[in-house]
Amino acid sequence: MPESSYHQDLELKHIDQIRDICDELPSYVQKFFRAQQQTKASRTRLGYAIDIKTFFEYVVNCYEKEKLETPKDVSLEILSDLSSDFIEDYMDYLQKYCKNGRVYTNGKASIKRKLSALSAFYAYYYKNNLVTQNPIKKVDMPRLKEKQIVRMDAAEVATFLDTVEYGNNLTKHQLAFHERTKTRDLAILSLMLSTGIRISECVGLNIKHVDFDNMCVKVTRKGGKEAIVYFSDEASVSLEQYMEQRKKIEAISGHEDALFLSSQKKRIGVRAVEKLVGKYAACAVPLKHITPHKLRSTYGTALYQETGDIYLVADVLGHSDVNTTRKHYADIENERKRSARNKVTLREKMDDTI
């Protein structure tokens, strides 16, 4: 049986979802998504598809010059006719709207993301002379406040992992399941905290991707690029304990290669890891909202504090642009600069003793 690839399976699932959405939209939309295949990951393209479908549904309901029945009725001529005022009304609509009896809300970040998808969509058709104007260019993007980066300090990390290992402060209901999952959970969270890998990289690991001889795992980064990431001795202990347990578990068909399994003996999913991080964090660091991505920030912070090498941090975290890393760790970099202000001596101090 060929090795099951989580990332390949996810890619194919996204492609099917994109095609299903495109089937509900005008045929010309497919040209845009074909063009995006070369530069955008499938997850990004799926996000675009969902956001563009939402916009087309709004056009159907709110375009006043012509009666439209379905998104397929939205022609390129109608897209050319839409004004910047129409787009701004759409942004206002996105803040709160009702669909199929359910209320949806969007903050500034979500609205900006949806507008970015629409901007890329219009830019493609305008560049190829398929629409006569690009109303998005006349619309201001929502301005977002700089978010404070949430991370755990060394003491909080220790408390967090103690909670995972010993079940400190868990409820009786949580403790009932804790004995069965603590070895797996400790392996997952120790690995994430000692490498900074993304949650998708973690759940996508197969058994053969772990190399104890070289203390590393092979992960699939964004865009499908493979990378070798090294884990600590401490994480190695937790991983080895879990591997002994994993050998005794017979995974269901199609999930035999997966490293981390759910209680259903299937590859553990992103949502399951998000929930277990939230469960332990609520007990260990209740004043901080800790997510899997915050574990990544915690590792990046610790690594930068220990090495002072922003390029090393960028490489280990898999950032393609070091400026992305600088932005996330600017506060630490400024503190390091401040602490170095007296490191260079210009003149020897005069000995004022006689």
Side-chain angles (χ1 to χ4, degrees), residues 212 235-245:
F212 285 108
S236 175
V237 173
S238 300
L239 267 175
E240 286 180 326
Q241 290 174 347
Y242 171 71
M243 290 293 275
E244 288 303 311
Q245 186 182 86

Side-chain angles (χ1 to χ4, degrees), residues 91-312:
M91 292 170 64
D92 184 64
Y93 161 83
L94 287 174
Q95 293 183 71
K96 182 181 180 182
Y97 64 96
C98 185
K99 178 181 175 182
N100 298 327
R102 179 180 171 184
V103 175
Y104 294 84
T105 60
N106 290 282
K108 286 186 177 181
S110 296
I111 293 174
K112 184 175 182 178
R113 190 202 71 230
K114 292 178 184 296
L115 198 58
S116 295
L118 198 56
S119 177
F121 182 76
Y122 256 102
Y124 170 79
Y125 289 99
Y126 186 72
K127 181 182 73 174
N128 289 281
N129 299 314
L130 296 171
V131 295
T132 57
Q133 66 161 341
N134 184 352
I136 311 296
K137 283 193 171 184
K138 300 179 181 179
V139 176
D140 293 329
M141 284 279 186
R143 183 174 295 178
L144 306 180
K145 293 181 179 178
E146 286 291 330
K147 285 186 178 180
Q148 181 182 5
I149 295 178
V150 178
R151 49 177 80 94
M152 292 187 286
D153 60 30
E156 289 169 332
V157 169
T159 302
F160 178 78
L161 291 177
D162 282 348
T163 300
V164 179
E165 186 167 8
Y166 304 113
N168 301 342
N169 299 320
L170 293 179
T171 65
K172 288 184 179 180
H173 178 72
Q174 290 171 333
L175 284 171
F177 296 93
H178 180 252
E179 195 62 33
R180 282 186 285 170
T181 65
K182 69 177 182 180
T183 302
R184 180 205 65 187
D185 294 353
L186 188 61
I188 290 174
L189 299 176
S190 295
L191 180 64
M192 293 181 74
L193 279 165
S194 76
T195 61
I197 58 175
R198 297 177 176 89
I199 185 172
S200 61
E201 296 165 355
C202 181
V203 301
L205 286 170
N206 285 348
I207 295 171
K208 66 181 292 185
H209 294 155
V210 184
D211 180 355
F212 285 108
D213 291 334
N214 295 296
M215 303 289 278
C216 63
V217 291
K218 183 173 74 173
V219 299
T220 301
R221 298 288 199 193
K222 284 184 176 180
K225 181 181 178 181
E226 292 184 342
I228 298 298
V229 180
Y230 297 90
F231 51 79
S232 67
D233 292 343
E234 188 175 1
S236 175
V237 173
S238 300
L239 267 175
E240 286 180 326
Q241 290 174 347
Y242 171 71
M243 290 293 275
E244 288 303 311
Q245 186 182 86
R246 175 67 180 85
K247 291 174 185 176
K248 302 173 185 176
I249 303 174
E250 185 176 348
I252 67 171
S253 178
H255 298 262
E256 299 91 343
D257 302 312
L259 175 59
F260 296 118
L261 298 176
S262 69
S263 55
Q264 288 77 40
K265 300 181 181 180
K266 300 189 296 184
R267 183 185 296 276
I268 196 167
V270 167
R271 182 61 185 142
V273 175
E274 289 173 340
K275 289 177 71 174
L276 70 90
V277 170
K279 175 181 70 175
Y280 293 123
C283 296
V285 281
L287 298 182
K288 291 184 177 179
H289 179 57
I290 301 299
T291 64
H293 193 74
K294 301 301 188 296
L295 303 186
R296 182 169 160 83
S297 297
T298 296
Y299 170 75
T301 299
L303 182 61
Y304 188 42
Q305 287 174 330
E306 288 297 321
T307 66
D309 189 340
I310 198 70
Y311 291 95
L312 174 63

Side-chain angles (χ1 to χ4, degrees), residues 24-37:
E24 301 180 50
L25 300 174
S27 59
Y28 61 79
V29 170
Q30 294 179 8
K31 293 182 179 180
F32 169 73
F33 285 102
R34 279 198 295 269
Q36 297 297 310
Q37 286 178 3

